[in-house]
Amino acid sequence: EIVSKECGKEISEGKADVTEAWHMVEWAAGNARHPHGDVVPSEVASKDAYMRRKPRGVVGCITPWNFPVAIPFWHMAIALVEGNTVIWKPAEQTPWCGQIVAEMMDEAGIPDGVFNMIQGFGDAGAAITDDERVDTVLFTGSAEVGHEIAGKVGSEPGKLAACEMGGKNGIVITEEADLDIAVHSAIMSSFKTTGQRCVSSERLIVHTDVYDEFKARFVDIAEEIAVGDPLEEETFMGPAIEADHVEKIRKHNDLARKEGAEVLVDRFELENEEIPDDHEEGHWVGPFVYEIEYDTDLRCLKEECFGPHVALLEYDGDVERALEIHNDTPYGLAGAIISEDYRQINHFRDHAELGLAYANLPCIGAEVQLPFGGVKKSGNGYPSAREAIEAVTERTAWTMNNSTEIEMAQGLSADIVTREE
């Protein structure tokens, strides 16, 4: 309930946020009992060789408001289990969730100084990234901030910045699509969390053979999506996070119009009867859907809105053409293909420039045991599961001689030659 109250996600998403957090704790704790070092046989019979891991040291975690419980545990559960200390800055929009997580850590008996939290704005995050004692920074958030952190921290020898950022995600709906699955997946991908997910879809790339039917069905549902009190189970979309973000969504909608969009659904300003009683001052916004002819120079198809702002793009030809459009973005986080043709699905799998790819599913959602992260402007793919272990540990290649003699690899002579008198 606190997740839904503080960041506006409808209640099933609030529950899922917390469930994902304890799933990650469960995975991290169980995974810690698995061996992660690799035995690497030496080419010299008398030697043993293997790779072992050790903690990097102090890990700074900077997390976003849209998953105020789950994402912190993506970072912190693994960092702590692998032997690091953590200093965490939760998003300034969700300090209540941050305080509760900190209290839970204290109640669980985490030793003083092993887990640390600092509340604040950008200056608090900068205090973490600028501190020479912080060896690693795990960041999830906007591309602008993430690129600044990556440039600052990553440029220092011995330091690592693992950043997961935004996306301009697309769903390819081919002529072989099951339209029931296509419409369902697109609605989920575009409007869950009021479009405020880094994996939300803002581009629907639809084959001309099914375009008209898909458009009609998608628009009909977008017109009726239930926006309302996030604590009510019949709500599909809650409010946006804050007034500044509502204004950002407005600017993206205006940009699409300016660039020639044909607006199909405009519920940016909701009807009075849609807004819950006594919440008229809330940050309410509804779906905005438009169609536009694809052009590589359109900003509205390249810049992330992070809201319920969706473009319909019609394409003709084969799946290769769809992938040209799909990949024409500086981001590479998540995407999906809807098709009953396995060849089309496999082509998407092999050629989509993504870190998270789905077939016949929404392009939102992640299971904790799978890596989560993107490519290109979306990040370097470290923030969850096994890949987070790579970020918070260092590897040492260890070789031990079991013989009383020294024998070198590659045939290198171990003889010591001295000058003759």
Side-chain angles (χ1 to χ4, degrees):
E1 288 182 356
I2 291 168
V3 170
S4 292
K5 287 177 180 179
E6 193 165 42
C7 74
K9 297 200 294 190
E10 56 89 5
I11 190 65
S12 78
E13 293 190 74
K15 293 176 180 178
D17 198 317
V18 177
T19 298
E20 189 170 341
W22 68 258
H23 279 183
M24 180 53 80
V25 171
E26 183 180 65
W27 183 89
N31 187 65
R33 292 182 176 271
H34 291 195
H36 290 125
D38 297 326
V39 176
V40 186
S42 171
E43 66 182 67
V44 178
S46 61
K47 293 179 181 178
D48 290 328
Y50 56 89
M51 184 276 290
R52 66 186 299 271
R53 294 183 182 275
K54 59 183 179 181
R56 285 183 59 85
V58 181
V59 176
C61 300
I62 301 174
T63 59
W65 51 262
N66 60 336
F67 285 83
V69 182
I71 291 178
F73 280 99
W74 289 5
H75 294 185
M76 297 191 297
I78 294 170
L80 291 168
V81 160
E82 293 295 331
N84 300 277
T85 60
V86 161
I87 180 164
W88 172 45
K89 190 199 93 67
E92 60 266 26
Q93 295 90 344
T94 50
W96 190 6
C97 289
Q99 179 65 24
I100 289 175
V101 169
E103 291 171 1
M104 291 168 62
M105 290 285 198
D106 184 58
E107 292 169 7
I110 304 294
D112 289 347
V114 173
F115 165 82
N116 311 273
M117 180 187 71
I118 179 171
Q119 297 269 21
F121 293 83
D123 55 343
I128 294 173
T129 61
D130 293 349
D131 196 302
E132 63 182 14
R133 295 168 293 180
V134 177
D135 304 283
T136 305
V137 175
L138 304 182
F139 170 83
T140 300
S142 71
E144 292 76 17
V145 176
H147 294 154
E148 181 181 350
I149 290 173
K152 180 193 302 181
V153 177
S155 64
E156 296 185 42
K159 291 197 173 188
L160 173 67
C163 300
E164 190 275 301
M165 294 164 284
K168 189 68 173 178
N169 309 301
I171 299 179
V172 171
I173 298 159
T174 80
E175 73 279 12
E176 301 293 338
D178 178 324
L179 288 188
D180 289 339
I181 293 176
V183 173
H184 193 164
S185 296
I187 291 290
M188 291 282 291
S189 299
S190 298
F191 302 129
K192 266 298 178 188
T193 326
T194 317
Q196 299 169 125
R197 291 181 181 231
C198 56
V199 292
S200 294
S201 176
E202 296 183 10
R203 300 179 301 140
L204 305 177
I205 303 158
V206 187
H207 194 276
T208 188
D209 289 355
V210 296
Y211 182 83
D212 288 342
E213 182 180 352
F214 174 86
K215 178 175 77 170
R217 293 174 62 176
F218 183 83
V219 165
D220 283 349
I221 296 175
E223 289 279 16
E224 302 300 328
I225 283 292
V227 182
D229 185 343
L231 295 177
E232 299 294 334
E233 292 188 355
E234 60 268 24
T235 294
F236 189 85
M237 276 176 49
I241 184 64
E242 58 190 357
D244 286 349
H245 195 59
V246 172
E247 185 59 27
K248 177 184 176 183
I249 295 169
R250 180 197 301 275
K251 289 178 178 177
H252 279 273
N253 294 350
D254 290 345
L255 173 63
R257 285 193 181 91
K258 182 179 178 181
E259 294 192 314
E262 178 69 28
V263 178
L264 306 173
V265 178
D266 185 359
R267 295 175 62 197
F268 176 77
E269 295 184 0
L270 296 172
E271 301 293 333
N272 289 336
E273 58 269 20
E274 294 185 82
I275 298 173
D277 293 341
D278 301 322
H279 292 283
E280 292 80 9
E281 300 303 313
H283 311 303
W284 300 104
V285 61
F288 182 86
V289 182
Y290 62 97
E291 60 183 351
I292 196 165
E293 186 175 346
Y294 166 73
D295 187 315
T296 189
D297 294 326
L298 291 174
R299 287 174 53 204
C300 66
L301 301 181
K302 297 289 182 68
E303 299 176 8
E304 181 185 32
C305 173
F306 213 64
H309 166 103
V310 188
L312 294 183
L313 302 167
E314 184 175 1
Y315 81 95
D316 195 5
D318 54 25
V319 71
E320 285 82 357
R321 175 56 180 160
L323 262 295
E324 289 176 5
I325 299 171
H326 177 277
N327 291 341
D328 187 20
T329 165
Y331 294 98
L333 184 54
I337 182 170
I338 314 298
S339 174
E340 296 297 298
D341 184 332
Y342 78 90
R343 292 182 179 86
Q344 291 181 333
I345 290 174
N346 287 346
H347 184 86
F348 182 88
R349 178 199 66 193
D350 294 342
H351 297 280
E353 295 171 351
L354 297 172
L356 302 163
Y358 300 85
N360 295 322
L361 284 167
C363 64
I364 59 172
E367 297 181 37
V368 298
Q369 71 274 19
L370 294 170
F372 187 101
V375 298
K376 301 197 295 189
K377 193 177 178 180
S378 292
N380 50 15
Y382 278 124
S384 183
R386 291 169 297 174
E387 277 59 34
I389 296 173
E390 294 284 346
V392 300
T393 60
E394 293 175 338
R395 293 174 292 176
T396 301
W398 173 261
T399 306
M400 178 175 176
N401 183 25
N402 297 314
S403 173
T404 57
E405 304 293 330
I406 292 179
E407 183 180 355
M408 303 301 292
Q410 291 95 39
L412 176 66
S413 172
D415 295 337
I416 298 177
V417 180
T418 60
R419 292 185 302 160
E420 293 184 6
E421 292 295 336

